[in-house]
Each structure stands twice: as C-alpha cells, then as structure tokens.
Amino acid sequence: MGHVGGGIGLKGVSNSHDEVEDEDTPASGAQRPGDKRKAEGILPQIRGYLDHLSVERALARNTLASYRRDLTRYAEALAEAGVESLAQVRPAHVSSYLARLREGDAEHPPLSAASAARAVSAVRGLHRFALREGLTGSDPASGVRPPTLPRRLPRALPLADVERLLEAAGRGDGPLALRDRALLEFLYGTGARISEAVGCAVDDVDLTSDGAVLLRGKGGRSRLVPVGEYLRRAVEAYLVRGRPALAAAGRGHPALFLNARGGPLSRQSAWSILRRAAERAGLSQAVSPHTLRHSFATHLLDGGADVRVVQELLGHASVTTTQMYTLVTVDTLREVYAASHPRARG
C-alpha cells in the first residue's frame, strides 16, 4: 500500500495533548496525487475522533500517538482504494486492511497479532464514532474481528526473588541508591504502572500510619493505595536523605522520583534501574516494571485478598482483567498439590 508524504499526515492533530512525532511513517514518492486528495477528505474526520479521544476520554499521550499512526495508515489504504470519505467505506475495505496489516507490503513488515489487533481497534473506534456523530449511516467495521491473541498469563516473581531484587536495588546510602530502593518498593508495594510511579508527585504520598498513595491511571482514573511499612520506610529515607540532594541540582520539580539533574525520572530510566537491580540480584527470569505489578496482584490473592479488592488496587476498569491473576494462583495450587500430595500421582 502506498505511503503519503507531506501534508497528508496527522502530525498536527491534538498537538496540545500529543507531542510524539510520527518518525516511523516515512514519506514515499509512490503515492499518486489523486490518492493524496482523496485521503485529505478523510483526515478531518480522523482528527475529530482523535480530539474526542484526547479531550473526552483523556487517553494517554503514547496511546494517542499509536492511534494516530494506525489511522494515518488506514487513511492511506482507503485513499489507494479510491475512498474519499468514511461514508464510502464498506466492510470489504476494513477486512482488506486487516489482511494487509498481517501480510505486510513493500514499506511495512507484517504486524504481529497484538499490533494488528490494536490497529483494528483504532479503526473500529473511528467508525463507531463516525456513526454516533452522524457522519455515516452505518458501521462497516462492526463485523470485522481483530486477530485472536494467544492467552498469556502474567508471570509473577516468587516472594524470595522480590526480596532479593529489592535488596539489590538499595545497596549503598547515597541519594541515587535511596531513590532506587524507594522506586522498587513503590512499584511492588502499590502495584503501580511505571507511568503512574514516575508521574507521582511528592504531595501525592501520605506517609502517616494510615496513609495512602494517590495514583493517576489510564483514562484519567485515580485511585488510592494504602502505604505498607516497607514502602513507608524506603520513601521516608529517600525523602529525608536522598531527594533533597537531587532536587538541589534542578528547579524544584514536584515529582517524587528525580533524576541526577533534579528533573523528573523518565520511564526509560526507571526501566534501567530495575534491570540493573535484577542483574545484581542474579534473577534468571526476565523482569520488567509490569512483573512487579503482576507480583503485587498475585501475592495479594495468594494471601487471601478478594479479587474485587485487587481490582480496585490495580485500577482495572473491569474485574475480568483482574481475574487472570486467579488463574495464576490456581496453577500454583495445582503444582504444589501435584508435588506434595502422596496420592496426587498414580
């Protein structure tokens, strides 16, 4: 499928909310001038949808960037097929687009099932929006289903590995060591997403005996998570003996976790902190910030927590998402039973 260069891109869409550039959408001279004009008829409708996602649904900046890339490519595919507005789109156009995502073309490698599913989700959302706003008389994408994704259960660390990881992060008493230990205690102690942790401000943390952390999650949803004793001690040590030294190098940023220049810690830097701690701890399992989130949920359920409580703590909109952790704990029970009960095996 041809690519469109120059003015057809959506780089100007919702810039106040989304500053990520579309660097992976190169221009191509293969696009016919007529295709460009046709695509430009669809772009205002896409802009309206992206503005809706940004303002009314408060999607994260990275999510908006992904939707923008996916829908720019969709507009180019429709233009190549001679479609000039969303009202002209038929189910066959959407099905053909999905097939080309999976097969790839001269300028795009084949997408994985997960990436194709995300792209189709953006297209389906666009057409639902267009129907609801009266831009079209039907939804051509309603019958198109995204690729089926393989079911992957979350992988939690055993408690002993979590303790080794936390100890490895806090070696030393310097400002960075105190920050690193506090960060990992924060991730495991609250089940926060990495974006929630680095987005947390000092004023969002209450370290009193019945205190809590305010986490700002997906879709603008906020939640309070209680502060455990290990987390309280780690964050207090960082705030007293570590953060002031880091803040002195900057301009008084309110973020809880600061970098060595006094600015807010980035997601990439938080990943690096975790990776180095895992290497020092000698963990054989690959560890990511989400691994600590999975461990937080799994260990709560193992300890007898109700799944609805875990849902609230994780900030899941639906309990169905949280229930995948119950499958993990059931699998663990099966393994323990098979290994321990004298009559488990014939």
Side-chain angles (χ1 to χ4, degrees):
M1 131 188 4
H3 245 72
V4 181
I8 153 141
L10 289 173
K11 288 186 179 181
V13 176
S14 301
N15 277 342
S16 61
H17 304 279
D18 187 355
E19 300 170 358
V20 179
E21 291 295 318
D22 265 342
E23 295 176 355
D24 58 348
T25 310
S28 169
Q31 185 72 26
R32 297 184 297 274
D35 288 348
K36 178 177 177 178
R37 287 193 298 272
K38 291 169 185 173
E40 286 176 342
I42 300 170
L43 294 181
Q45 298 168 327
I46 293 178
R47 291 190 185 101
Y49 176 54
L50 291 174
D51 286 340
H52 161 75
L53 294 178
S54 174
V55 176
E56 297 188 28
R57 291 186 53 190
L59 290 192
R61 187 173 65 179
N62 289 340
T63 304
L64 281 172
S66 296
Y67 270 56
R68 184 178 63 188
R69 286 192 293 269
D70 292 336
L71 293 176
T72 297
R73 184 173 175 183
Y74 182 54
E76 294 166 0
L78 293 177
E80 186 178 289
V83 176
E84 300 184 22
S85 74
L86 293 181
Q88 297 176 356
V89 179
R90 298 294 176 261
H93 292 125
V94 184
S95 298
S96 175
Y97 175 64
L98 173 57
R100 297 192 69 168
L101 290 177
R102 298 289 283 141
E103 295 168 1
D105 56 36
E107 297 180 10
H108 302 91
L111 293 186
S112 66
S115 296
R118 184 204 66 209
V120 172
S121 176
V123 169
R124 283 164 56 88
L126 170 66
H127 284 290
R128 284 195 301 268
F129 172 80
L131 178 62
R132 189 169 61 246
E133 296 295 309
L135 301 175
T136 60
S138 62
D139 181 356
S142 61
V144 177
R145 295 288 174 261
T148 301
L149 302 180
R151 186 171 196 175
R152 290 183 295 181
L153 295 177
R155 297 185 63 186
L157 290 173
L159 180 57
D161 284 358
V162 171
E163 292 174 341
R164 288 166 55 198
L165 179 69
L166 296 175
E167 289 296 330
R171 291 174 181 168
D173 201 39
L176 295 180
L178 291 169
R179 179 204 63 191
D180 295 353
R181 176 63 181 263
L183 173 64
L184 267 60
E185 288 280 6
F186 189 98
L187 289 170
Y188 176 64
T190 65
R193 301 175 179 92
I194 189 66
S195 57
E196 295 169 344
V198 299
C200 190
V202 172
D203 290 343
D204 293 334
V205 181
D206 178 4
L207 297 178
T208 58
S209 58
D210 58 349
V213 174
L214 175 64
L215 297 177
R216 295 176 174 82
K218 292 182 177 180
R221 294 188 297 271
S222 298
R223 67 190 187 279
L224 288 172
V225 178
V227 174
E229 187 58 33
Y230 285 91
L231 171 58
R232 179 181 293 107
R233 290 203 298 261
V235 173
E236 282 179 343
Y238 164 62
L239 289 176
V240 173
R241 306 200 307 273
R243 191 179 183 281
L246 300 178
R251 299 182 178 180
H253 199 282
L256 174 61
F257 297 108
L258 300 178
N259 59 32
R261 299 180 300 279
L265 191 70
S266 68
R267 293 170 60 188
Q268 292 79 6
S269 295
W271 264 86
S272 297
I273 291 168
L274 178 59
R275 185 173 61 249
R276 289 195 300 268
E279 290 173 353
R280 288 196 295 267
L283 300 185
S284 57
Q285 177 177 331
V287 178
S288 73
H290 237 63
T291 305
L292 289 179
R293 180 170 163 86
H294 294 329
S295 303
F296 167 84
T298 302
H299 296 167
L300 280 172
L301 290 168
D302 283 343
D306 184 85
V307 69
R308 292 282 183 180
V309 174
V310 178
Q311 174 195 357
E312 291 295 324
L313 292 173
L314 290 175
H316 287 158
S318 170
V319 73
T320 303
T321 308
T322 315
Q323 284 172 336
M324 66 180 178
Y325 293 104
T326 65
L327 299 177
V328 176
T329 58
V330 169
D331 285 345
T332 302
L333 289 174
R334 287 196 187 101
E335 291 174 5
V336 172
Y337 176 82
S340 307
H341 196 278
R343 299 182 70 85
R345 300 180 185 276

